[in-house]
Amino acid sequence: MHRNRYKILLSEAEIRSRVEELARAINTDYSGEELLVVGILKGAFIFMADLVRELTIPIAVDFMDMSSYGASTRSSGEVRILKDLETPVEGKNIIVVEDIVDTGLTLSYIAELLRTRNPKSLRICALLDKPSRRKVDITPDYRGFTIPDYFVVGYGLDYNEEHRNYRDICILQPAQHED
Ligand code: PRP
């Protein structure tokens, strides 16, 4: 029998505590302001749900869904919009929430696109950052954890759409043969 194995990289408790810290920083930085929190589907949905529940400033939420044209063209930075925002962003404080920054191509495309819509401010909040994989120069303003180049699942992140519901963030290890 072939079975993938999972090793916990970040536990539910570690994630919760870090999400609370990130929210505290955002609450302080945007004190007296309003905020539009933009989640990038699908991976960010759990992080975003936990993050916004720790925010005490007035917020609205919206979502975007992006897709690369395919693995072969991903390095060219071609990204297309599957779902755009429903909310106008002009004059608003925006935080884009991502589960992970890998090459940075998705976020750099989104940031460039949203800047053309003249927000008051635009920042990025990413739970995980894999700087070793970066192809474009982009740094999250709020970052949960910097991680090595592991394939991770859980807390919104998937492998072939599976495991998004894991409470911990786990390293996916290759399938092993078992009798
Ligand atoms: C993942 C992740 C980011 C992007 C990061 O999304 O959620 O959006 O990849 O990679 P990059 O920095 O190399 O652009 P994915 O395309 O796996 O879709 P999903 O969020 O629906 O799982």
Side-chain angles (χ1 to χ4, degrees):
M1 175 180 180
H2 291 277
R3 186 176 289 163
N4 288 324
R5 301 208 176 233
Y6 302 91
K7 180 171 176 275
I8 293 179
L9 176 67
L10 297 163
S11 70
E12 181 181 8
E14 285 174 279
I15 297 166
R16 185 184 311 120
S17 150
R18 188 69 186 122
V19 171
E20 286 168 3
E21 286 175 1
L22 291 172
R24 272 200 293 277
I26 293 170
N27 284 329
T28 303
D29 293 351
Y30 291 87
S31 171
E33 300 274 344
E34 293 182 9
L35 186 59
L36 176 64
V37 185
V38 172
I40 309 304
L41 298 171
K42 302 173 197 166
F45 80 111
I46 290 178
F47 173 42
M48 172 135 157
D50 283 348
L51 183 74
V52 296
R53 283 180 291 177
E54 299 296 332
L55 296 179
T56 51
I57 50 173
I59 64 149
V61 301
D62 204 342
F63 294 91
M64 293 180 84
D65 194 3
M66 317 297 294
S67 169
S68 60
Y69 276 103
S72 57
T73 56
R74 184 155 196 137
S75 56
S76 66
E78 284 183 82
V79 177
R80 70 192 157 108
I81 302 174
L82 297 180
K83 184 209 171 299
D84 204 341
L85 295 177
E86 292 167 17
T87 321
V89 305
E90 183 159 357
K92 292 186 183 156
N93 296 306
I94 315 290
I95 287 189
V96 177
V97 175
E98 261 288 25
D99 53 339
I100 189 163
V101 193
D102 194 338
T103 64
L105 290 169
T106 306
L107 265 179
S108 113
Y109 179 88
I110 291 168
E112 223 166 274
L113 175 71
L114 294 183
R115 280 202 187 93
T116 66
R117 300 178 184 176
N118 302 317
K120 180 176 177 187
S121 67
L122 178 66
R123 285 185 179 165
I124 290 162
C125 176
L127 181 65
L128 304 177
D129 190 9
K130 266 190 197 175
S132 60
R133 297 259 308 162
R134 202 70 97 252
K135 288 185 176 157
V136 291
D137 183 20
I138 190 157
T139 307
D141 302 280
Y142 303 95
R143 170 172 33 208
F145 303 92
T146 301
I147 62 167
D149 187 16
Y150 297 131
F151 194 94
V152 286
V153 296
Y155 201 70
L157 293 110
D158 74 307
Y159 172 63
N160 285 343
E161 295 301 326
E162 287 186 66
H163 319 308
R164 292 194 196 270
N165 58 325
Y166 285 12
R167 290 174 175 273
D168 308 303
I169 291 175
C170 301
I171 301 169
L172 178 61
Q173 297 180 321
Q176 304 206 347
H177 185 74
E178 288 176 9
D179 293 325

